[in-house]
Amino acid sequence: MRILVVNGPNLKLLGTREPDIYGQETLDGILARLAERAAKADVELKTFQSDIEGEIVSVIGAARGVYDGIIINPAAYTHTSVAIRDAIAAAGIPTVEVHLSNVHRREPFRHTNLTAPVCIGQIMGFGGTGYLLALDGLLAKLR
Ligand code: DQA
């Protein structure tokens, strides 16, 4: 079982970025926790972070036939990117969307979501633990 984990813009700044909203855990810390859980579940993880929309589109576009599932936090592109939405839909790979914060409790512009409708599920508001919950949910669907 192979899972692709995609993180969008500004998420490499986790740890120092608005810690009152996103917590103090770094992206590496979150991914280490995820890797541990994946190893226990006999899952191979590939992680990717980019601030660039087109790079995220390309990575998802190349995922078909390689990965069984995708976990994605599109970050700000969640609210704007038709291209990432179309890439997820085109890939046809079961995808779970994660947000560290509960975007429904935040600014109205974050209530627009272009990517969730092409995902099988969404987890938000649990900080880095959301990635682990996403893995559990994805595996429950895939296995
Ligand atoms: C985020 C929420 C987005 O609105 C924001 O632009 C992010 C992070 C989250 O994980 O809570 O960069 O995706």
Side-chain angles (χ1 to χ4, degrees), residues 18-89:
E18 301 183 90
D20 45 319
I21 296 172
Y22 298 115
Q24 298 197 336
E25 192 174 19
T26 63
L27 184 58
D28 282 350
I30 293 169
L31 295 178
R33 283 207 283 151
L34 188 62
E36 199 177 311
R37 199 174 190 99
K40 278 185 194 146
D42 206 22
V43 168
E44 199 180 308
L45 278 192
K46 166 79 178 167
T47 63
F48 175 78
Q49 190 278 328
S50 177
D51 294 337
I52 300 168
E53 185 177 19
E55 287 185 358
I56 295 170
V57 170
S58 296
V59 161
I60 296 169
R64 199 187 178 99
V66 181
Y67 296 100
D68 303 295
I70 297 175
I71 296 170
I72 186 167
N73 183 345
Y77 290 138
T78 304
H79 318 298
T80 62
S81 181
V82 175
I84 292 175
R85 175 199 171 110
D86 285 353
I88 295 168

Side-chain angles (χ1 to χ4, degrees), residues 12 14 16 57 69 71 73 76 91-92 94 97 104 110 114 139 142:
K12 67 182 169 209
L14 288 177
T16 55
V57 170
I71 296 170
N73 183 345
E97 181 172 303
H104 298 298
R110 294 185 205 276
L114 300 188
L139 293 179
L142 292 176

